[in-house]
Amino acid sequence: MADIQKLVKSQKIFIKNGKTINLDFRLKQLSILEKAVIENETRIVSALKKDLGKSAYESIMTEVGFISDEIRLVRKHLKSWSKPHKVRTPLKLFFSMSRIYREPYGVCLILSPWNYPVQLTLSPLIGAIAAGNCAVIKPSEHSPATSQVLEDIFKDYFPLDYIAVVQGGIDLSTNLLKEKFDYIFFTGSPEVGKIVMTAASENLIPVTLELGGKSPCIVDYNVDIDLASKRIVSGKFLNAGQTCVAPDYLMVHKTVKNDLVSAMVIDLKNFYGNNPQKSPDYGRIINHRHFDRLTRFLETGNIIFGGITNRDDLYMAPTLIENLTWNDSIMREEIFGPILPIFEFEDLNEVIDQINDRPRPLALYFFSRNKKNKEKILNHISFGGGCINDTVLHVANPHLPFGGVGNSGIGNYHGKAGFETFSHRKSVLERPFCFDIPLRFPPYQGKLKILKAVFNLPFYR
Ligand code: NAD
């Protein structure tokens, strides 16, 4: 605890010296971060393999490559984003100039989960650095190999009073949350999100909460079945289904259900072979607690495909399951694993009602060639973000702010949105020392008529 206090204090001193506001300093730190990631690619990839059985390909695509891409984009635009932004000034404030200045919040706390332990730790950090903040990072205790690599790397590339990685579980998080950080960026479950927000409220600390939930995938009657199948299967079973924006469940139009299920079975075999346990491209469940939680989900419904498990290897086959109800536990909780429940529908309005009866999802995917139905979905369901005719890919566009809504989160980041999230917008009106109209100063007697004219209000007395 004393160490944490000391660390936060040292970062507060670092912020006070004003170094981080300098644009060149921020650009340099982003380059150092990119260098740190690239130079340690092999260590990162092998740690991800250890923690999650992630293939090198997936690790480059969703972690290392993702981060370098975002750093390059932010570096390219940081100068223009950082400039004071001029806005219009109403005539009644004549001779004034209005600008919005960006300033760093100060010392930020970043709490991250285990499923994409590099991306979900470093992507918020890019925003924090770009905006000129210091950061204390606490990666997840459930991905220990990656957390260790992150701590080791950061020690080599950044001074602790600027950016520090600290490792630990709930006790450490609880102690961190007692500190007076200037901003808290949390990625994890809605349950822990509430704990974080409650703790933050004690010191009125602003928060971003990147949470989870059940993200629906809806397939209309008029789609390209083969492409839809490939895009759903790849989005769902990436990282063995442990992706916050993975399709949680599938709702497919009755007329195409059988075709889609057959296509998905073929794709699953093509992607991961007849025995996915032997596939170098298929991941593992993070730990036994999650494995047991997921195994219990298999007790209800009918398994159409998969369902094979091996606890010693933390292996769960990609699984398609049907004949479920909203009351089954698999439909009451976020799945966060390689099980895809399948429902059929006839009326899209019913689908909309069923989704709207539940907490607002982090992501939603809609497959259709019907423009009207697409508009219907977009206009009638609130969700964090998503894709039309694909899954997961919206996350890969750094020009799209990423975040949830309602139960799936507060705030967003990625690219410019990340810079903005970690910047306070300081609005300043600047006036020259010229004359003032006496109208604004007391005594007010005899001035009301003119004041009402200025505001374009009727004058009755
Ligand atoms: P989690 O909420 O259990 O843990 C996240 C972080 O909070 C970890 O660093 C953990 O140490 C810390 N933590 C856990 N319990 C705590 C407590 N009682 N007090 C303070 N801190 C605590 O989440 P997880 O299991 O690591 O990740 C899974 C969840 O995260 C899923 O709900 C998933 O949808 C969500 N998620 C969301 C996103 C997103 O971008 N929106 C991304 C990945 C995961």
Side-chain angles (χ1 to χ4, degrees):
M1 182 70 172
D3 282 353
I4 293 295
Q5 282 173 346
K6 231 167 105 185
L7 178 65
V8 176
K9 205 170 163 194
S10 73
Q11 293 207 350
K12 294 253 175 187
I13 293 168
F14 196 95
I15 274 289
K16 266 196 195 147
N17 76 26
K19 217 169 156 180
T20 64
I21 294 172
N22 181 282
L23 176 66
D24 290 334
F25 174 85
R26 289 180 277 144
L27 288 168
K28 188 170 169 213
Q29 302 311 312
L30 288 169
S31 296
I32 294 174
L33 181 61
E34 188 182 7
K35 196 166 162 235
V37 172
I38 290 172
E39 286 179 352
N40 292 282
E41 182 195 300
T42 318
R43 284 168 84 189
I44 291 173
V45 167
S46 65
L48 288 165
K49 181 84 191 162
K50 217 169 173 183
D51 285 330
L52 287 145
K54 246 184 225 194
S55 67
Y57 193 91
E58 234 180 79
S59 293
I60 298 296
M61 178 170 64
T62 63
E63 310 253 23
V64 174
F66 187 101
I67 289 301
S68 341
D69 239 18
E70 188 172 351
I71 294 175
R72 282 180 210 134
L73 176 106
V74 172
R75 275 183 50 78
K76 189 170 161 201
H77 297 286
L78 192 56
K79 188 174 175 188
S80 84
W81 296 344
S82 304
K83 278 184 187 152
H85 176 62
K86 218 173 137 183
V87 293
R88 290 174 65 166
T89 307
L91 201 62
K92 53 181 165 285
L93 299 171
F94 62 97
F95 291 146
S96 307
M97 188 103 84
S98 303
R99 292 191 196 87
I100 300 167
Y101 292 83
R102 314 276 170 167
E103 67 175 15
Y105 278 101
V107 178
C108 303
L109 172 64
I110 297 174
L111 294 171
S112 55
W114 48 263
N115 59 331
Y116 289 87
V118 176
Q119 183 204 126
L120 298 174
T121 305
L122 301 194
S123 182
L125 182 66
I126 294 170
I129 294 177
N133 297 278
C134 289
V136 174
I137 299 165
K138 196 207 78 67
S140 175
E141 65 278 27
H142 301 300
S143 44
T146 315
S147 297
Q148 189 58 50
V149 166
L150 288 176
E151 184 180 348
D152 294 345
I153 294 174
F154 273 82
K155 265 189 194 148
D156 289 347
Y157 289 79
F158 295 100
L160 288 176
D161 54 356
Y162 174 46
I163 296 169
V165 174
V166 291
Q167 287 197 71
I170 296 177
D171 286 352
L172 177 62
S173 295
T174 307
N175 283 335
L176 284 166
L177 289 171
K178 287 179 188 151
E179 292 299 314
K180 286 193 178 171
F181 283 97
D182 300 300
Y183 201 94
I184 299 177
F185 191 103
F186 170 80
T187 307
S189 59
E191 292 67 35
V192 180
K194 287 175 197 167
I195 296 172
V196 170
M197 198 163 172
T198 306
S201 72
E202 276 300 308
N203 292 310
L204 290 178
I205 301 171
V207 291
T208 293
L209 302 177
E210 295 285 340
L211 311 176
K214 291 184 87 63
S215 299
C217 177
I218 309 158
V219 180
D220 210 353
Y221 60 92
N222 50 357
V223 296
D224 181 321
I225 291 286
D226 286 340
L227 276 182
S229 164
K230 282 191 179 59
R231 292 171 183 178
I232 294 166
V233 168
S234 64
K236 173 70 190 185
F237 298 102
L238 183 77
N239 199 20
Q242 301 164 113
T243 303
C244 59
V245 288
D248 186 276
Y249 58 94
L250 179 64
M251 301 183 106
V252 49
H253 196 275
K254 200 177 171 181
T255 53
V256 294
K257 185 197 158 199
N258 288 344
D259 289 348
L260 183 66
V261 170
S262 308
M264 288 198 297
V265 167
I266 293 170
D267 286 330
L268 279 168
K269 287 180 181 166
N270 286 341
F271 288 0
Y272 304 114
N274 284 329
N275 181 2
Q277 194 172 359
K278 289 193 177 144
S279 164
D281 299 326
Y282 188 68
R284 293 294 182 270
I285 306 306
I286 186 73
N287 56 32
H288 288 103
R289 184 171 67 83
H290 278 283
F291 178 88
D292 294 338
R293 180 184 65 81
L294 289 165
T295 309
R296 279 195 293 276
F297 287 156
L298 299 178
E299 288 164 10
T300 45
N302 292 350
I303 293 170
I304 310 173
F305 182 79
I308 295 160
T309 60
N310 182 327
R311 195 172 190 274
D312 292 341
D313 190 22
L314 289 169
Y315 166 76
M316 176 173 276
T319 299
L320 307 178
I321 186 165
E322 64 178 353
N323 285 342
L324 292 159
T325 71
W326 287 102
N327 291 327
D328 292 321
S329 61
I330 190 170
M331 292 311 292
R332 281 187 275 115
E333 282 172 45
E334 177 182 4
I335 298 172
F336 218 55
I339 312 171
L340 183 65
I342 301 172
F343 296 86
E344 61 179 39
F345 72 88
E346 278 182 90
D347 181 359
L348 194 59
N349 294 314
E350 282 175 15
V351 171
I352 293 173
D353 287 344
Q354 284 172 338
I355 295 171
N356 285 338
D357 280 347
R358 290 168 173 83
R360 290 190 264 180
L362 177 60
L364 183 143
Y365 307 109
F366 183 57
F367 289 77
S368 181
R369 285 195 175 103
N370 186 315
K371 253 187 173 179
K372 268 195 185 155
N373 285 351
K374 182 186 86 177
E375 294 305 322
K376 202 182 233 183
I377 292 288
L378 292 178
N379 291 330
H380 290 94
I381 305 180
S382 173
F383 54 94
C387 304
I388 302 293
N389 299 331
D390 215 318
T391 66
V392 178
L393 284 191
H394 62 298
V395 179
N397 180 356
H399 300 286
L400 287 173
F402 174 73
V405 57
N407 206 61
S408 56
I410 295 173
N412 47 51
Y413 71 128
H414 284 183
K416 189 178 185 190
F419 167 76
E420 286 181 340
T421 283
F422 283 97
S423 305
H424 164 60
R425 298 207 293 174
K426 192 154 72 179
S427 298
V428 177
L429 182 112
E430 188 174 338
R431 306 205 68 212
F433 284 116
C434 59
F435 69 94
D436 266 316
I437 297 179
L439 189 65
R440 63 180 282 203
F441 304 119
Y444 299 130
Q445 205 181 7
K447 296 176 182 171
L448 189 60
K449 205 170 174 178
I450 312 169
L451 183 73
K452 285 203 155 186
V454 169
F455 282 102
N456 209 7
L457 295 169
F459 191 78
Y460 299 113
R461 61 192 166 96

